[in-house]
Amino acid sequence: MADTVKVTFVDAEDDSKERSTTVERGKTLLDAGHAAGIEIEATCGARGRCRTCRIKVLSGEVPPPTIQDTVQLGHEEVRENFRLACQTKIIADTRVVALPPKAESGHQILSSDTSVADDARMTLDCGVAKHVTKATTPTDEHHQTSDWEETLRVLPEDVSKDASLEVLRKVPGAIRKDGGQITVTTFNNKIIDVEAGDTSEHIYGMAFDIGTTSIVGSLINLTTGENLADVGGVNPQAVYGGDLMSRIAYAQFDEKKLATLRVRALNAINNFVKDACKQSGVAAEHIYKIVIVGNTCMHHIILGVDVTYVGLAPYAPVIRDSLAVPARDLPLKAAINAQVCLLPIVAGFVGADTMACVLATRIYDSDEIRTLVDIGTNGEVVMGSKDGLMVCSAPAGPALEGAQIRHGMRGALGAIEKVYIDDDVTCDIIGATPAIGICGSGLIDACAKLATAEVMEPSGRLRRKKREELPEKLQERLVDTSDGCHFVLVEEEDSGRDEPIVITQADIRQVQLAKSAIFSGIVMLQHVMKISDDDLQEVMMCGGFGNYINIESAVKIRLIPNLPLEKITYSGNAALMGAQMALLSETERDRAYDLSLKMEHVALATRPEFQDIFVDAMTFLGPDTHVGNSQSEENEMVAAGGAD
């Protein structure tokens, strides 16, 4: 029996197009897809907990369906030879068609209309300086000098004499052109570029927030602080898992797989740099500083640092310091002259993106107790004031960003983003097009409205008893199937796909797990710091996703505490804003490092009371609960330290 088998992937849109690969017998169809260069996503990390790697077997023998196949796809699809690529092992030559979710386009990129440079409290000291001067070439062979010495001779004394080979290679041509006039660019007094002529007006930089799900960035004039271009899109690593632990598990103890993740991220950044330069007309060689923020996993992957032990207790990062490395060392080829700066990591999964949020919100300088909540695949909560800050990581998972949800998708064209329920259901769709799925803000809205309309019980269970008490049209939208109950949001004839858009009982459970992680993180820090709801003056919702959430719905599902609504604010993409601040100001970059050493990390899993808080947070507010008023009894318990 041969040790290898042939797998042929047929294009879903054009069955005349095929791509084949040969793989070892026993590998999965997902492995074969990646080997063939087919972009098959596995947002659950190939654990059979989502539908994103759905395929159909056209011919060839495959093993019987697994339990995961049946749970995710249902009995009917399994009978029609649909399978999960991550669960289906290859035992013979096979022809399949990959059937990924409907293509997503037009992703929402959250940018700010104001420049962080407008903040009067910030010092513009980006660290990049250009020295326009004139250097003479050696003229007497008896004079023991060199091009480099003549260049250094006309520069300020505090400029370092050390230089990279790339800089030295530019010197002879530069000083012999334009009559010897040159522009020498330094970063923190280290020479990073030498050019002929006067290019002093061209000093640019880029800030990037690299999230588990998406990457966003901005191109900025480092002299004026003007934002010249915004870029962003899906993190291409998503095909290897929708959450941090999935990515870590993929790359653990495997340098080649780590390199795969790294190359995907760097290629994306390179493309975003080129896109930003095209939008703005800026030459990429004049980008001298890039600040990157992201969680610990993304931080390490970008650097090519082993993430194995970040995924194992005690989840320690390899390095926490603030870093600055030449773009060539990554390599980041699109901005070859840049110095790439990464903000510090606090601990474990509290990464550089959290430090950027702290900078942007200036929570460290507050007279009153405030909290910032960065809602994403890996959520973080920071609480405190100028007297001290505590922080925790709340692993929400990718559900709130549309992953592991039956019809989940990111915030793109065709996504349900708002839901209204009275006697029937209406939805707002991004782009006002037929719905092809539901994004995180829509999920939160849907769950809140289902709870308010009593279609869903406070426990999160879709109503099974006394359905006749519901309006007739809502009764009709509750459908019982062999795979469980679901609620129809958009009927098939109104959707942009060949089926209705639904929210299933399993979807609601995923939302419960995600929102409970965030809610429990907030309550746990209140518990540890002995802070009541009344003492908490503001909850700042950060992140591109957080900015689109309906606050009242977030309170209703208990994603955030039931505080007066005026205490809950949006802070936009604070991680990107913080990266922009560190880009424009070395003072702010230094501040981030100092703060990272002072912040106290609370490891939720080690707190004995956390499990009880988490379980309690799984419930939703009942239909009669008033949103916007905190409960005094709970306040008193928290203020007293609570009961373990």
Side-chain angles (χ1 to χ4, degrees):
M1 182 179 291
D3 292 328
T4 61
V5 290
K6 180 181 178 181
V7 181
T8 301
F9 291 89
V10 179
D11 190 281
E13 303 294 332
D14 183 354
D15 58 13
S16 66
K17 295 180 180 179
E18 297 182 352
R19 189 180 298 181
S20 298
T21 187
T22 301
V23 296
E24 293 178 15
R25 190 185 305 276
K27 292 284 188 179
T28 66
L29 285 171
L30 181 64
D31 296 328
H34 290 165
I38 305 294
E39 292 286 300
I40 303 178
E41 288 195 23
T43 56
C44 68
R47 290 174 289 184
R49 297 181 181 177
C50 70
R51 292 162 50 91
T52 55
C53 67
R54 175 173 171 260
I55 55 96
K56 184 174 184 179
V57 179
L58 301 177
S59 64
E61 183 182 357
V62 294
T66 65
I67 293 175
Q68 291 94 329
D69 286 320
T70 304
V71 169
Q72 296 300 331
L73 302 175
H75 294 284
E76 185 176 341
E77 285 201 356
V78 165
R79 282 194 295 270
E80 294 177 1
N81 276 343
F82 288 93
R83 295 287 190 276
L84 298 177
C86 72
Q87 299 297 304
T88 307
K89 293 186 177 181
I90 307 164
I91 58 177
D93 291 351
T94 311
R95 292 180 78 248
V96 302
V97 58
L99 297 167
K102 201 81 170 180
E104 301 171 9
S105 61
H107 294 87
Q108 294 176 324
I109 301 174
L110 181 63
S111 58
S112 176
D113 294 331
T114 59
S115 168
V116 295
D118 294 336
D119 189 339
R121 296 170 292 181
M122 199 176 78
T123 304
L124 286 180
D125 58 335
C126 67
V128 178
K130 284 204 169 189
H131 307 272
V132 181
T133 186
K134 190 171 183 179
T136 58
T137 57
T139 57
D140 187 343
E141 63 180 297
H142 298 292
H143 184 197
Q144 290 180 280
T145 186
S146 64
D147 290 350
W148 183 238
E149 288 171 277
E150 294 304 311
T151 301
L152 290 173
R153 195 186 309 280
V154 294
L155 293 174
E157 290 185 0
D158 58 357
V159 171
S160 172
K161 295 181 180 180
D162 295 330
S164 66
L165 278 174
E166 289 75 15
V167 167
L168 291 177
R169 288 167 181 158
K170 294 178 180 180
V171 172
I175 66 173
R176 288 172 174 82
K177 189 177 180 182
D178 291 342
Q181 186 182 51
I182 58 173
T183 301
V184 179
T185 305
T186 62
F187 177 66
N188 290 338
N189 294 324
K190 181 178 179 180
I191 298 174
I192 59 175
D193 193 25
V194 176
E195 301 170 277
D198 181 354
T199 66
S200 57
E201 293 184 359
H202 303 289
I203 308 178
Y204 307 103
M206 290 199 73
F208 282 101
D209 172 23
I210 302 181
T212 311
T213 303
S214 60
I215 300 175
V216 293
S218 52
L219 175 65
I220 293 178
N221 184 315
L222 297 184
T223 303
T224 64
E226 180 185 2
N227 192 342
L228 303 176
D230 292 308
V231 292
V234 176
N235 187 330
Q237 298 172 345
V239 296
Y240 300 105
D243 59 84
L244 292 183
M245 294 310 293
S246 296
R247 307 269 174 91
I248 292 172
Y250 174 78
Q252 270 183 332
F253 304 109
D254 194 322
E255 291 184 3
K256 289 184 178 179
K257 289 183 176 180
L258 174 63
T260 297
L261 293 178
R262 180 172 173 238
V263 167
R264 280 186 166 257
L266 290 176
N267 284 346
I269 297 172
N270 274 317
N271 289 333
F272 288 138
V273 170
K274 294 174 185 176
D275 185 15
C277 289
K278 184 177 180 180
Q279 288 183 44
S280 61
V282 166
E285 59 264 28
H286 290 145
I287 294 175
Y288 297 109
K289 182 179 178 183
I290 295 176
V291 172
I292 293 177
V293 300
N295 56 56
T296 305
C297 179
M298 295 301 106
H299 173 283
H300 281 27
I301 288 173
I302 287 293
L303 293 173
V305 172
D306 189 1
V307 294
T308 296
Y309 301 100
V310 176
L312 301 173
Y315 313 108
V318 174
I319 185 169
R320 295 175 54 214
D321 290 350
S322 179
L323 297 175
V325 297
R328 296 175 186 275
D329 289 356
L330 289 179
L332 198 61
K333 297 179 180 179
I336 207 68
N337 292 325
Q339 295 291 300
V340 179
C341 303
L342 294 97
L343 292 193
I345 290 168
V346 179
F349 291 109
V350 181
D353 51 350
T354 303
M355 286 313 310
C357 289
V358 169
L359 285 183
T361 59
R362 296 194 183 275
I363 187 174
Y364 62 84
D365 203 28
S366 173
D367 292 323
E368 300 173 318
I369 301 294
R370 301 158 73 202
T371 188
L372 72 83
V373 185
D374 189 5
I375 302 172
T377 305
N378 188 64
E380 291 89 17
V381 181
V382 180
M383 186 176 294
S385 65
K386 64 183 181 182
D387 296 324
L389 298 174
M390 282 193 174
V391 60
C392 69
S393 172
L400 293 182
E401 297 193 357
Q404 299 183 33
I405 301 297
R406 172 69 62 88
H407 291 133
M409 62 182 290
R410 303 174 182 96
L413 296 178
I416 297 172
E417 62 174 344
K418 291 183 181 179
V419 176
Y420 309 89
I421 300 179
D422 40 44
D423 290 341
D424 200 6
V425 178
T426 55
C427 302
D428 286 349
I429 318 296
I430 296 175
T433 66
I436 61 172
I438 183 168
C439 64
S441 60
L443 277 169
I444 290 171
D445 224 23
C447 288
K449 303 302 170 59
L450 287 172
T452 301
E454 299 188 74
V455 176
M456 182 177 70
E457 299 170 1
S459 66
R461 182 176 179 178
L462 287 170
R463 186 165 176 168
R464 292 185 176 274
K465 297 180 180 179
K466 299 183 179 180
R467 289 184 180 176
E468 66 277 3
E469 296 177 358
L470 296 172
E472 183 178 350
K473 291 184 178 179
L474 296 186
Q475 293 179 44
E476 294 172 354
R477 289 178 180 272
L478 275 168
V479 180
D480 293 309
T481 72
S482 59
D483 304 312
C485 182
H486 64 246
F487 184 82
V488 178
L489 294 171
V490 178
E491 300 288 357
E492 180 177 345
E493 59 268 23
D494 298 320
S495 78
R497 51 199 301 159
D498 57 357
E499 60 184 336
I501 308 301
V502 305
I503 183 168
T504 70
Q505 186 66 72
D507 294 340
I508 294 171
R509 294 306 183 206
Q510 288 295 323
V511 172
Q512 285 181 284
L513 292 170
K515 64 98 174 178
S516 298
I518 301 292
F519 185 93
S520 301
I522 299 171
V523 173
M524 191 73 249
L525 290 188
Q526 285 185 269
H527 182 92
V528 173
M529 299 179 74
K530 297 181 171 55
I531 295 171
S532 70
D533 284 354
D534 291 337
D535 293 332
L536 197 56
Q537 294 305 304
E538 184 180 17
V539 174
M540 298 171 285
M541 296 172 63
C542 304
F545 166 63
N547 202 67
Y548 296 107
I549 295 173
N550 179 309
I551 290 178
E552 191 167 343
S553 293
V555 171
K556 189 73 177 179
I557 73 166
R558 299 182 78 206
L559 174 68
I560 50 179
N562 191 7
L563 298 171
L565 296 184
E566 62 270 17
K567 285 190 173 184
I568 305 170
T569 61
Y570 294 120
S571 294
N573 191 342
L576 181 60
M577 291 171 62
Q580 292 171 344
M581 292 171 70
L583 177 67
L584 288 167
S585 173
E586 285 292 280
T587 299
E588 295 295 336
R589 194 162 75 91
D590 291 341
R591 190 196 310 279
Y593 179 67
D594 293 339
L595 287 169
S596 72
L597 299 178
K598 298 175 183 177
M599 292 169 63
E600 183 176 347
H601 176 237
V602 177
L604 298 180
T606 65
R607 309 289 303 198
E609 63 271 43
F610 177 70
Q611 184 174 348
D612 291 337
I613 293 173
F614 184 88
V615 171
D616 175 69
M618 290 281 284
T619 60
F620 298 88
L621 294 183
D624 300 323
T625 307
H626 178 67
V627 172
N629 278 345
S630 55
Q631 301 175 17
S632 57
E633 290 184 4
E634 290 183 3
N635 290 348
E636 291 171 5
M637 183 188 77
V638 173
D644 289 348

